[in-house]
Amino acid sequence: MDATPPSRPASWPRLAPEILAQRIVGLTRGARLTVLGLGPDGIGDILDEIPERSCGALLVAGEDRSTAVILDRVLDDLADLVLAGWPPDDPGASAPIASLDPWRKAAAKCVRAGLAPRFRRMARDLEFARLLGAVEPAGPILVWEVDPASGARAAPVIEALEWCARHGAANVATLCVPPPPVAPYDRILYGAVELARPPRAAGARFIAPATGAHHASAAEQRVAAALARDADLAGLFLCNAPVPVGPWGARPRVDLLCPAHRIVVELDGPEHRAEPKFGADRHRDFTLLTSGYLVLRLTNAQIAADLPLAIEKIRAVVDLRRRPRGETSR
């Protein structure tokens, strides 16, 4: 008789995106939630169901590493966030700082020097608590990608997640498919939920063959329609168009291309906030820039919130390119 345990129970609780978003933002310090059927990049889409949420989320770059290395990376990431978000009017950003506690005084000194406040001789649990609270009062939610197929690769990530939970962080473990209920997965499967995915229409699953607005991008379709209605900008931009760049003739496909003025407009969804897409976007921008293209990036959230403002930003870039070289704006 085959004694292999089943890969999953009869059913996991299935939650609609808006309900799952509420569960995630409602996590308290030290709490954990395991989400099946979703990768870490998808958490951004889920959290966008609550646009005015008061908590942030950090996608942890776990990869195939030891627990200690993963935790060090988490501390490095939190320190980078503290450096980027240190309030300019905080007394730690300028003198006097004598009244600050020792950690904040040292952190302020680092910030003034343009350095992330990372102190490797400090006890890891104490530094974690200070960095977590410095990013946000309640600390950001840590989002982990757990490999569902390799227990050896999953184990250090799960151990790091458990350590962070013990030391006050709210955590979300994501697995693209349900794993077998054996070690080490059995440590995170209690209370797991699945994302309930509504069926997608054919248009959302269709990959456009030409340079029209991408069928799956509502933001791109809205911007393309607005540009077509604008007397000044109509006809200038191609959608979903290839751009010849680089010494080897590479042709990356961009969201909006203005060939006449060598302008590229990219419309970024939440998945562009984290690696590997974030790094790939920076490299693409570099390639386009060194090939003579001006790149403007807008987020889907900005377009949804204020489409006219997005169009005016595009117009400003076009006007910049139209202006004779050496002429300054008034």
Side-chain angles (χ1 to χ4, degrees):
M1 180 180 294
D2 186 2
T4 303
S7 61
R8 54 170 291 168
S11 65
W12 301 102
R14 296 173 62 83
L15 302 182
E18 61 274 13
I19 302 301
L20 179 57
Q22 293 287 354
R23 284 283 300 273
I24 292 173
V25 300
L27 291 173
T28 57
R29 294 177 67 92
R32 305 185 314 186
L33 177 67
T34 297
V35 181
L36 306 175
L38 185 69
D41 289 345
I43 291 295
D45 295 322
I46 295 299
L47 292 181
D48 279 345
E49 297 290 333
I50 309 177
E52 297 184 359
R53 62 190 177 278
S54 59
C55 64
L58 172 63
L59 309 185
V60 177
E63 302 175 1
D64 187 11
R65 303 178 178 183
S66 69
T67 302
V69 172
I70 294 173
L71 290 175
D72 277 338
R73 177 62 180 271
V74 172
L75 291 169
D76 288 342
D77 287 346
L78 290 173
D80 287 341
L81 292 176
V82 172
L83 173 61
W86 194 279
D89 57 347
D90 188 281
S94 59
I97 59 175
S99 62
L100 301 178
D101 66 76
W103 181 87
R104 196 163 183 83
K105 184 184 299 185
K109 185 176 180 180
C110 286
V111 170
R112 288 187 302 177
L115 302 174
R118 181 77 164 87
F119 309 113
R120 299 184 185 279
R121 294 185 179 181
M122 186 176 182
R124 179 181 284 155
D125 56 342
L126 297 179
E127 185 176 23
F128 179 71
R130 295 310 303 264
L131 289 171
L132 203 66
V135 173
E136 292 179 2
I141 300 167
L142 302 183
V143 182
W144 307 77
E145 182 176 19
V146 180
D147 190 323
S150 171
R153 286 194 292 268
V157 177
I158 294 173
E159 290 171 1
L161 181 158
E162 291 173 331
W163 185 94
C164 291
R166 288 196 303 271
H167 292 88
N171 296 267
V172 175
T174 65
L175 299 94
C176 57
V177 296
V182 297
Y185 303 109
D186 54 343
R187 289 151 51 184
I188 60 171
L189 286 178
Y190 178 78
V193 298
E194 274 191 299
L195 173 65
R197 297 181 181 274
R200 293 191 302 162
R205 291 180 276 112
F206 180 68
I207 300 174
T211 58
H214 198 287
H215 285 60
S217 173
E220 188 172 328
Q221 292 173 358
R222 291 188 66 202
V223 172
L227 291 173
R229 293 191 300 266
D230 190 288
D232 183 39
L233 300 175
L236 288 181
F237 285 88
L238 302 174
C239 297
N240 196 27
V243 183
V245 296
W248 301 283
R251 297 176 65 86
R253 192 172 289 274
V254 300
D255 294 331
L256 294 165
L257 169 67
C258 176
H261 301 297
R262 298 178 74 82
I263 297 169
V264 167
V265 179
E266 295 281 40
L267 311 177
D268 294 342
E271 70 276 7
H272 289 264
R273 300 171 183 166
E275 298 293 352
K277 285 197 174 184
F278 184 85
D281 288 344
R282 305 287 85 71
H283 177 70
R284 178 193 284 225
D285 291 352
F286 165 78
T287 304
L288 290 167
L289 177 65
T290 54
S291 297
Y293 290 90
L294 205 59
V295 181
L296 169 65
R297 286 191 174 272
L298 300 170
T299 67
N300 290 356
Q302 289 172 327
I303 293 164
D306 196 337
L307 177 60
L309 177 58
I311 298 301
E312 289 309 310
K313 288 182 178 180
I314 295 174
R315 190 191 316 280
V317 176
V318 171
D319 289 344
L320 179 64
R321 281 297 210 192
R322 286 170 169 166
R323 192 179 304 146
R325 182 171 296 182
E327 180 181 323
T328 59
S329 60
R330 296 179 181 179

